[in-house]
Amino acid sequence: MTPSARVQAAIDLVDAILDAARGQGASADTLARQFFRERRYMGSGDRRAVRDLAWRAVRRFGELPQSGRAALAGLAREDAALAELFDGSTYGPARLGESEPVAAGGVIPAWIEALLPPLFDEAEKRALLDRAPLDLRYDPSRTDRDALSAIWPEIVFSDALPRAARLPGNTPVEASAPWQAGAIDVQDWGSQAIVQACLSEEAPALVIDLCAGAGGKTLALSALLPEARIIASDTSRDRLQAMEPRRKRAGPDRIEPLLLDPKREWERLASFEGEADLVLVDAPCSGSGTWRRNPETRWRLTPDRLERVVAEQARLIEIAQRLVRPGGALVYAVCSLLPDEGPRQAARGLCDREGWTIVNPDMQIGRLIGADGRLSDAPQSGGFAGRLLTPHHDGTDGFFFTRARRS
């Protein structure tokens, strides 16, 4: 393909991503795979160049561009070499017109930017759209740092998280011996921090992962708590089934998948009322903490959708509270940076709820944040909410999480 033809292909791919964002359709990654399957004439270099250019446009503009061409034209205004490829050649894009629509603005939609916590300076905002590394969780009983370093000399390890490793993004790991042996799994360091927050001196006998999804945190808990009975519940059969290949690689466990009916979850959870030592609520959210990996999701979020997801989070917290035994713990987490989903949600559902006390563990990652969205150095003060992780400060996806104890 000529360089100009690659630009036109990137325009077409961004158009597909925009159409899906407007209609809450398939993810950008799914669309890209389909796009390239339908264009088998593209070589690997062409596919890489087209994808990189399309994702560059998706990351650059926070407001929904009018079209893929408008998005690439916006990039061309900042890149003279790219502008020259709008040359009207065969298979290439038409020349740029003076009055045609051109994407502009910052990387975060203005209405979302207004909701971010006060601590978000320009460096924090820019990091939200950086490219993410490949984070791993390793099992010390099956491998160690020396063995992993021998395979990947560029690997680095976390000082704050005992089983966390990091490789450059897109490093192929699935053909490696540690992967095949179940010694490693892909998991963001932020997710591993949430799992660490679930641990205490007293090992739980019954753990309920209320929104288990594909089971990343469930499997991490299972590795750390091999004697615990772990209920992995979710309302999506597809998400629960996605956990099964990971379970097979990880080996024997005491995980029990439990499919719930949406809005009728309690019908299958009632038998566990007041019995769980630990309940993890990794709640559905805006996903604003995962823009590094899924930048198009900020085009999908609307004020109405945010309001609905906040209401769903509150409902799930109430369900979780009914499951926790006296003296047990509830860990609430969201991969969001918005206070309404994080500290304010925790304040409403836990800090201000009689019979519940925030008891965040001491950790060497993240920052304490109050219910007002501001940094807090007094975890025992009134209204204290939890811990915030950000890409700029912690090198992780964005997360809020808190741990509460039932009296």
Side-chain angles (χ1 to χ4, degrees):
M1 295 177 70
T2 66
S4 291
R6 288 175 170 178
V7 174
Q8 183 57 55
I11 289 173
D12 295 339
L13 177 53
V14 175
D15 272 328
I17 293 170
L18 287 168
D19 287 344
R22 294 186 185 100
Q24 302 297 325
S27 70
D29 285 335
T30 298
L31 292 168
R33 288 193 293 270
Q34 178 181 341
F35 184 87
F36 293 124
R37 277 199 305 268
E38 295 172 351
R39 293 163 176 80
R40 296 189 181 278
Y41 58 85
M42 288 187 179
S44 59
D46 293 324
R47 293 194 299 271
R48 189 181 313 109
V50 169
R51 183 185 174 93
D52 286 350
L53 187 54
W55 256 250
R56 182 179 156 198
V58 174
R59 290 176 185 278
R60 171 61 186 84
F61 300 107
E63 305 294 345
L64 192 71
Q66 183 171 326
S67 64
R69 180 178 171 89
L72 271 293
L75 288 183
R77 280 193 168 179
E78 303 168 351
D79 184 340
L82 177 59
E84 291 180 359
L85 299 179
F86 284 76
D87 58 7
S89 60
T90 303
Y91 303 119
R95 296 184 184 277
L96 293 169
E98 292 185 3
S99 60
E100 70 173 279
V102 177
V107 298
I108 303 175
W111 76 272
I112 298 179
E113 187 169 3
L115 301 178
L116 289 172
L119 62 90
F120 270 79
D121 57 17
E122 288 306 313
E124 289 280 0
K125 293 174 185 176
R126 286 194 302 271
L128 295 179
L129 276 300
D130 284 347
R131 293 182 180 273
L134 177 66
D135 285 355
L136 303 176
R137 173 178 53 82
Y138 68 92
D139 184 346
S141 70
R142 304 186 188 195
T143 189
D144 57 32
R145 294 187 175 194
D146 289 342
L148 295 174
S149 296
I151 300 172
W152 298 291
E154 68 275 25
I155 199 168
V156 296
F157 299 93
S158 170
D159 294 329
L161 302 165
R163 300 182 175 212
R166 174 166 290 168
L167 288 166
N170 299 322
T171 301
V173 298
E174 294 188 3
S176 69
W179 178 273
Q180 298 295 332
I184 60 173
D185 200 3
V186 173
Q187 188 172 44
D188 183 80
W189 286 10
S191 293
Q192 294 186 54
I194 292 168
V195 172
Q196 283 296 118
C198 291
L199 304 181
S200 63
E201 294 181 1
E202 182 180 352
L206 175 61
V207 176
I208 299 177
D209 189 347
L210 190 58
C211 309
K217 297 179 184 68
T218 311
L219 288 165
L221 285 168
S222 176
L224 292 165
L225 303 169
E227 301 302 318
R229 179 189 182 192
I230 301 179
I231 308 300
S233 63
D234 202 278
T235 58
S236 169
R237 187 184 302 274
D238 289 344
R239 287 195 292 266
L240 286 177
Q241 288 179 342
M243 178 170 44
E244 294 309 306
R246 303 171 77 178
R247 289 182 67 191
K248 289 179 180 178
R249 283 196 310 105
D253 59 47
R254 296 192 65 201
I255 297 171
E256 301 174 26
L258 180 64
L259 181 63
L260 307 177
D261 290 332
K263 307 301 182 184
R264 299 168 59 187
E265 295 90 346
W266 192 251
E267 292 180 4
R268 303 207 65 188
L269 291 169
S271 61
F272 301 108
E273 183 170 11
E275 297 292 333
D277 301 286
L278 170 69
V279 177
L280 171 60
V281 184
D282 183 14
C285 66
S286 67
S288 54
T290 63
W291 287 346
R292 302 187 306 168
R293 305 177 193 279
N294 307 292
E296 85 281 4
T297 57
R298 68 202 199 285
W299 291 346
R300 297 168 178 264
L301 188 61
T302 65
D304 286 345
R305 187 175 178 217
L306 179 60
E307 184 178 348
R308 290 195 299 271
V309 80
V310 167
E312 178 67 1
Q313 292 160 359
R315 190 179 72 85
L316 291 171
I317 289 175
E318 291 183 356
I319 291 174
Q321 288 172 325
R322 297 176 66 183
L323 296 169
V324 179
R325 67 165 176 81
L330 187 161
V331 173
Y332 171 75
V334 283
C335 53
S336 172
L337 300 166
L338 304 182
D340 277 352
E341 300 180 90
R344 289 181 193 141
Q345 187 72 272
R348 289 188 296 265
L350 296 168
C351 300
D352 298 338
R353 194 68 60 91
E354 184 177 356
W356 291 88
T357 305
I358 300 296
V359 286
N360 275 285
D362 185 23
M363 302 179 70
Q364 302 304 310
I365 190 171
R367 288 171 285 182
L368 301 178
I369 189 169
D372 59 0
R374 298 182 181 277
L375 296 181
S376 171
D377 58 1
Q380 303 307 321
S381 64
F384 174 71
R387 191 172 293 271
L388 184 73
L389 307 181
T390 68
H392 177 66
H393 185 268
D394 304 291
T396 67
D397 285 347
F399 283 100
F400 170 86
F401 59 94
T402 195
R403 178 187 176 103
R405 183 180 62 240
R406 182 181 177 185
S407 60

